[in-house]
Structures are given as structure tokens and as C-alpha cells.
Amino acid sequence: MNVKKVSSRLLCAAAVSIALTSAGAFALNNDSIKNIDSTSIEMLNARFKQGDYEYVIEALEDVKVKTPKQYNILISALMNIDLDDAEEVADEFVKNYSNDYRAYHTHANVMGAQASNSIFSALGYAKKAKQSLETAVTLAPDEVGVYQALMQFHLMAPSIAGGDMDEAEKLADKIATLDALEGQFAKAKFYLQDDQVDKAVEIYATLAQQNEAKIRANLELGTHYLTDERFQNAFETLSVLLNESVETVTDKESEQWEAYAENKSNLLYGKYRIGLLAVQSGEYTDSGIAALEQYIEEYNTTSIETAHLPSMNWANLRLAELRLNANDVQQAKATLSQINGEEDKRFAKILKGLKKQIKKRA
């Protein structure tokens, strides 16, 4: 078994989004850092959204008794700066909230990221991710999300790392008993990974006819095609989302908020995927530019949680690539100027290459 290949798959296996919301920016003094309430969390989320991870870390790292929300936003910020520090705080989260499934959910996310980042330690981190997800299921046997995360682990992780397709199918069946719609999505994901693509496509086609499911159905199937480098199929599936919209819900306490936030998130992700598709395929450049422009505008104005979505830096990087592909050198340069702060090594490599190309063509 190629350890590097194992490592590259484990982040997807244990990926669990850390939910953050946006609000207006604010300044913390020493006293308020010690007593951060829910309103301040909203404000910290805004700093996170702007990519100001250091600010978030400084505000929260010395808080002695952190709430689960504070742990989540701190860990999410640390994951963009230093995975080892994120791991340390994730361990602390589990220790202090040993009966809260959310702590293990987040812990699994960090372990998955470490597995992806640490070639020679990938299997050890995968084991920790699996253990945390199994604990989360034990603590919250009625939470669909933890079953979905554990199923994703079994689908994506190789057997040497604990993945098991039979267990994944059982989990898909379990999800169906808790939520019929989620059960259909779970079964479709299982079929995709089990090379039964025709069965998956049939399910997604049915889901795409339902108002509450069509955006997500197109996103998931289109993402599969993109990953499989079936670019034409991917474009035909994802491009539908360019003309989709979601009726806005403003009341976060309303019954409609959760469904709205999920739909909006999926729509945004779909638009980013169209841009990524244009970059990777070298085709559909105009559609890719339009999709990323929409993504950036809507990301910056939405009130839904955005930490799980591609950052503004990534969106601007991809948009700059497409503008350069369209021979619009000045717009590509202007787009790169919108990038603030640092991302990972891969981002830095792409950015460096783009700057060189722009300099040559300026």
C-alpha cells in the first residue's frame, strides 16, 4: 500500500465542517477576551471570514473555560495556521467535553487533516479520526451528521486505514431510517464509491426533480464527474447552478433557516466548482469567470456559515487564473491584489506561478 496515496485520501474520509457565521468586525480588550459571549462569537466569525486567523487565535487562546463554539472557531483558525496546534486544542476540547459528540466530531476533522498532511503518520491519525467518529455516534445515536461523517470515512479510507465498504453501506441504511431524504443521498454516495455509477445517477436524477434537493444533487454528482475528470459531464451537471437561486431567510431562529443555509451553502460551493472545473479543464472559461464572480459577491454578503467553503483567497486565485486564460492580464493582476494573508503551500506555489506568468505577459 502506497502510504502517500493513503494519506491523500484521509482528509476527505474524516472531513467534518466547522460551522462559523459572519457578522460585523469588532475590537476586543483584555477584559472582553476573558468573557466572550455569543454575540462576540458572531463578531469573531467575521474576522475569520476575512482571513484574520491570528486575530481569532489571539482572542481565544487564553480563555480559560471555553464553550464548544469557542473551541470550534479557535480550532478552525488554527487549522489554517498550524495543524499541530489545532491538534493540541482538539485534544483539549475532547478532554473538557468528553460527553459532547461535537467535540469528537471536530477532533475527527483535525485528525483527518493531519492524516492528509503527515505521510508517515497517516495511518495513526486515521485510526484516531475513526475512533472519534465512532464515539460521536455512540454519544449522539440520533444525529444524522455523525453517521454521515463515519460513512464518508469508510467510503474514502483504504482498508489498511480502517475503511470498510460493507460498513459504509450499513451506515447508509441506518441514515435512511433516520431521514429518508438523507438516506437517498447516502445511498447515492455509496454507489459512486462502489463503482455503481448508473445507480447513483438514477438517484441523483430523481433528487434533482425535488426543489429541496436539486441544488445538492447537482453539486454532488457534478463534483464526482469533476474528480473523475469527466469535464463535459461535470459542466452539464454543475452549470445548471449558474441560474439557480435560493429564497433568502433572515431569521436564524426560524424553522426555515437550516434548510436555507444548507441550500445556499451548496449553491455557493457549486459555483466555486464551476470555476475550478474551468481551471482544470482549460475550457468553459467565460462560465467559470461568471461563476466565481457570483461566488465572491455572494460569499461576502451572505449571513450563512462560510468556514467550510473555499476562502476568498482561493476564489480570487482561481478567478485570476481564468482571467489570465482569457488573456485579460490587467484584470488577472488586479484580482491577485485582492489576496490577503497566507494559505497553504499549494496555494503559495500556484500564486507564485501566476505572478511569474503575469510579469512575463505584462
Side-chain angles (χ1 to χ4, degrees):
M1 176 66 66
N2 186 308
V3 177
K4 186 172 183 179
K5 184 177 181 180
V6 170
S7 173
S8 68
R9 296 175 60 188
L10 293 176
L11 176 57
C12 294
V16 182
S17 296
I18 298 176
L20 300 173
T21 53
S22 63
F26 80 120
L28 288 174
N29 56 39
N30 290 334
D31 291 332
S32 61
I33 287 176
K34 299 296 188 293
N35 299 284
I36 297 177
D37 57 20
S38 59
T39 302
S40 298
I41 284 292
E42 292 281 330
M43 295 176 182
L44 278 175
N45 288 336
R47 298 301 287 256
F48 182 97
K49 190 174 181 179
Q50 296 166 9
D52 197 351
Y53 308 126
E54 294 284 2
Y55 184 94
V56 175
I57 294 167
E58 183 179 351
L60 290 172
E61 62 184 352
D62 292 330
V63 175
K64 293 182 179 179
V65 181
K66 299 179 185 67
T67 67
K69 286 184 178 180
Q70 290 171 342
Y71 269 117
N72 270 341
I73 189 172
L74 174 58
I75 291 168
S76 189
L78 285 169
M79 288 178 72
N80 287 280
I81 301 294
D82 190 313
L83 276 177
D84 290 336
D85 288 345
E87 179 182 353
E88 183 178 340
V89 177
D91 288 339
E92 179 186 306
F93 190 10
V94 167
K95 180 180 179 181
N96 291 335
Y97 289 90
S98 59
N99 293 319
D100 192 326
Y101 79 93
R102 294 171 297 179
Y104 295 94
H105 212 176
T106 298
H107 187 266
N109 186 36
V110 177
M111 297 305 103
Q114 283 283 45
S116 181
N117 193 57
S118 308
I119 295 175
F120 298 107
S121 302
L123 297 182
Y125 280 120
K127 181 178 180 180
K128 291 180 180 179
K130 182 183 178 184
Q131 288 174 339
S132 285
L133 290 172
E134 289 174 340
T135 301
V137 166
T138 301
L139 291 172
D142 297 323
E143 284 288 337
V144 171
V146 292
Y147 289 101
Q148 290 171 324
L150 184 56
M151 185 192 80
Q152 188 73 0
F153 178 92
H154 283 296
L155 286 176
M156 299 303 298
S159 58
I160 192 174
D164 188 319
M165 291 297 292
D166 290 337
E167 283 299 315
E169 186 171 22
K170 290 177 184 177
L171 287 164
D173 292 338
K174 174 62 179 179
I175 290 168
T177 68
L178 297 173
D179 187 307
L181 181 62
E182 292 299 334
Q184 292 181 69
F185 276 108
K187 204 68 175 182
K189 287 183 179 179
F190 171 78
Y191 284 141
L192 285 180
Q193 197 62 30
D194 199 43
D195 294 326
Q196 300 184 63
V197 178
D198 289 344
K199 289 184 177 180
V201 170
E202 185 177 347
I203 294 175
Y204 281 126
T206 300
L207 290 169
Q209 301 304 310
Q210 304 174 35
N211 285 335
E212 71 273 25
K214 61 183 178 180
I215 291 175
R216 180 177 168 191
N218 281 287
L219 169 62
E220 290 191 5
L221 182 58
T223 297
H224 167 75
Y225 286 140
L226 176 58
T227 302
D228 208 34
E229 296 186 352
R230 294 170 61 179
F231 296 132
Q232 183 175 345
N233 292 112
F235 182 74
E236 290 171 355
T237 306
L238 290 171
S239 61
V240 173
L241 302 180
L242 273 172
N243 298 314
E244 285 289 340
S245 61
V246 181
E247 186 175 350
T248 302
V249 175
T250 57
D251 184 2
K252 294 184 179 182
E253 302 302 322
S254 68
E255 294 181 0
Q256 295 78 27
W257 174 260
E258 185 176 349
Y260 161 71
E262 180 180 350
N263 256 336
K264 185 65 175 180
S265 174
N266 287 331
L267 183 57
L268 283 170
Y269 218 135
K271 291 179 179 181
Y272 180 85
R273 289 291 193 191
I274 295 169
L276 182 61
L277 164 63
V279 171
Q280 293 185 352
S281 67
E283 303 179 60
Y284 320 111
T285 299
D286 290 342
S287 294
I289 290 173
L292 286 173
E293 288 176 340
Q294 289 180 28
Y295 178 85
I296 290 169
E297 179 181 358
E298 294 176 33
Y299 180 100
N300 284 325
T301 57
T302 188
S303 58
I304 70 165
E305 301 166 348
T306 57
H308 58 290
L309 293 170
S311 69
M312 278 298 92
N313 281 347
W314 273 107
N316 279 307
L317 185 72
R318 295 308 189 187
L319 182 56
E321 287 183 283
L322 293 181
R323 285 176 168 162
L324 196 60
N325 288 349
N327 294 315
D328 195 340
V329 178
Q330 290 305 313
Q331 279 296 315
K333 185 177 180 179
T335 303
L336 286 187
S337 71
Q338 299 299 310
I339 293 175
N340 296 308
E342 300 178 358
E343 299 285 336
D344 58 24
K345 292 180 180 179
R346 178 164 161 263
F347 181 93
K349 182 178 180 180
I350 297 172
L351 178 60
K352 183 178 180 180
L354 272 176
K355 287 181 177 179
K356 286 183 177 180
Q357 290 182 55
I358 289 173
K359 187 176 181 179
K360 287 179 180 180
R361 294 165 63 174

